[in-house]
Amino acid sequence: MSRISGVSIPLGCFLLINVMSVNGLVEQGMYQSSNNPATATGETGSFPFLMPMVSPQTPDLYLCTPIKVDPTTTYYIVGFNPNATMNTAHHMLLYGCGEPGTMKTTWNCGEMAQSSGEDMVSPCGPHSHSQIIYAWARDAKKLNLPEGVGFKVGKDSPTKYLVLQVHYAHIDKFKDGSTDDSGVFLDYTETPRKKLAGTLLLGTDGIIPPMKTEHLETACEINENKVLYPFAYRVHTHGLGKVVAGYRVRSDSDGVQQWLQLGKRDPLTPQMFYNVSSHEPIVAGDQIAVRCTMKSTRHRVTKVGPTNEDEMCNFYLMYYVDHGETLDMKFCFSQGAPYYYWANADTGLHNIPHIQASNLIL
């Protein structure tokens, strides 16, 4: 069981409809009433979005479960309270989708995994809106968004469904038939938020040579006419990660690129969202650049992939806009080593800072 299991939530506090698959789509739960005091007065309600007592039997299994947002109301998610431990869940992701990958109660959503003979379906439908809203790993604690900031879902948002993805790296504890309800409690309100939150995920593909230190790097330009105010970041690698750093890159009046640190972290500490190093705005024409320093003590090549034997290089940047909608761009990935580096001539990056794990200050 997860550490916050067994909490009783009144049905009147549900803002969402659970999606269950019996003979097609069966809706359970209740719509949030407009006269419910939890939201009508501007207060915050809580919704438990948890795995439905699953018992995974395949190592490195990615499981997804969906909920449908009440389509008659716009909601704003303002906090995330994880219901999980790293002894059970390797990591969790919360997706915002136009449609889920399937209407099943749960499904194998390890879309990056190698073929295992099982049907695998992505968290979101193939042609629908898709974004990552929240991520958790390594016993990270609760996240509250800044005052006045919220993730918009429901009626006036392309996010019509939320999908919870849990990666079960190890399944020894389930061999006796034990079940799990890992997930997250979502704090929400109906009170409109002028400052809309977004999450940009930067990551890489690539390989790490045996017994070497390698840098996995990515960068992307903000080409939408929006002003982003960063407020939190989260890093993610598996066991070989030593440091992950993210930067805003902007050219000054002399054409020299200035690298402003957004966040820098040892990825083997709790993988929660931390306050950014700088709240300076990010505007069109800026680049966001990320480097993961990976140190291999293995006598084999390690590739980027979904399993515990693979690696990942991810940097999540949470930001808000104070008017209009968030970025259309939700993801930014590179080929990674040995094909992509910041120093490649075609990246346009220069004045690159020297980043080492030994320079990391926690």
Side-chain angles (χ1 to χ4, degrees):
M1 285 291 189
S2 302
R3 59 183 174 82
I4 316 179
S5 57
V7 176
S8 177
I9 304 295
L11 282 178
C13 290
F14 281 12
L15 81 156
L16 303 165
I17 309 170
N18 284 318
V19 174
M20 306 294 289
S21 179
V22 182
N23 293 315
L25 180 63
V26 178
E27 297 176 348
Q28 296 185 341
M30 296 177 60
Y31 288 127
Q32 170 67 50
S33 170
S34 60
N35 61 6
N36 189 308
T39 54
T41 62
E43 297 178 2
T44 300
S46 180
F47 180 83
F49 190 10
L50 310 175
M51 277 290 163
M53 307 309 292
V54 296
S55 184
Q57 299 298 313
T58 304
D60 276 314
L61 179 66
Y62 284 67
L63 275 183
C64 280
T65 189
I67 48 177
K68 181 180 181 180
V69 183
D70 172 0
T72 68
T73 306
T74 301
Y75 296 97
Y76 300 86
I77 300 174
V78 297
F80 305 87
N81 192 9
N83 177 64
T85 69
M86 63 184 293
N87 292 331
T88 300
H90 180 268
H91 71 265
M92 301 189 299
L93 295 177
L94 179 65
Y95 287 82
C97 305
E99 294 283 344
T102 175
M103 292 299 184
K104 293 180 178 180
T105 307
T106 62
W107 69 91
N108 181 345
C109 54
E111 69 274 13
M112 293 186 295
Q114 298 293 323
S115 176
S116 63
E118 294 184 71
D119 291 333
M120 289 178 286
V121 180
S122 297
C124 298
H127 304 296
S128 81
H129 165 78
S130 175
Q131 69 174 107
I132 292 177
I133 294 176
Y134 171 74
W136 171 97
R138 290 188 170 269
D139 290 343
K141 304 303 181 183
K142 182 176 181 180
L143 172 67
N144 293 315
L145 301 191
E147 184 67 30
V149 176
F151 285 93
K152 184 170 67 171
V153 301
K155 180 180 178 182
D156 294 328
S157 166
T159 295
K160 306 302 183 184
Y161 289 79
L162 297 175
V163 174
L164 172 68
Q165 181 189 70
V166 179
H167 175 200
Y168 295 97
H170 306 289
I171 48 89
D172 289 347
K173 67 176 294 181
F174 300 110
K175 290 182 178 178
D176 63 357
S178 297
T179 58
D180 177 60
D181 63 347
S182 293
V184 60
F185 285 75
L186 304 175
D187 295 337
Y188 69 95
T189 181
E190 291 180 36
T191 305
R193 293 294 193 258
K194 179 184 176 184
K195 299 175 180 178
L196 297 184
T199 301
L200 176 62
L201 169 59
L202 297 99
T204 78
D205 198 354
I207 60 173
I208 303 161
M211 307 300 291
K212 298 252 180 160
T213 296
E214 180 62 279
H215 293 129
L216 301 178
E217 298 172 338
T218 188
C220 57
E221 182 176 340
I222 303 300
N223 55 21
E224 301 175 39
N225 189 24
K226 297 171 182 178
V227 179
L228 315 181
Y229 296 90
F231 62 87
Y233 77 99
R234 173 186 179 268
V235 303
H236 179 71
T237 71
H238 296 172
L240 304 186
K242 293 301 180 183
V243 60
V244 180
Y247 293 84
R248 184 200 73 180
V249 185
R250 177 182 293 175
S251 296
D252 64 18
S253 57
D254 297 321
V256 178
Q257 289 179 340
Q258 304 298 323
W259 292 62
L260 180 68
Q261 186 183 113
L262 296 170
K264 184 178 180 182
R265 196 78 193 171
D266 176 353
L268 300 186
T269 56
Q271 292 181 5
M272 59 188 284
F273 279 90
Y274 295 91
N275 292 331
V276 291
S277 305
S278 172
H279 294 270
E280 289 294 312
I282 299 168
V283 300
D286 290 344
Q287 293 197 63
I288 301 176
V290 169
R291 169 185 281 177
C292 298
T293 300
M294 319 294 282
K295 185 176 182 180
S296 176
T297 55
R298 299 170 177 171
H299 295 279
R300 63 174 177 85
V301 168
T302 303
K303 68 183 189 307
V304 171
T307 77
N308 207 38
E309 296 300 312
D310 301 322
E311 264 301 340
M312 285 186 173
C313 170
N314 290 340
F315 185 95
Y316 299 82
L317 182 65
M318 271 193 187
Y319 65 90
Y320 69 82
V321 293
D322 62 7
H323 66 276
E325 299 296 327
T326 57
L327 287 175
D328 293 330
M329 179 175 64
K330 312 297 183 186
F331 307 95
C332 172
F333 278 77
S334 77
Q335 288 182 291
Y339 306 107
Y340 178 95
Y341 296 100
W342 287 343
N344 290 358
D346 59 355
T347 68
L349 295 171
H350 61 270
N351 199 31
I352 297 169
H354 186 57
I355 307 167
Q356 292 181 332
S358 59
N359 294 335
L360 184 64
I361 300 176
L362 299 180

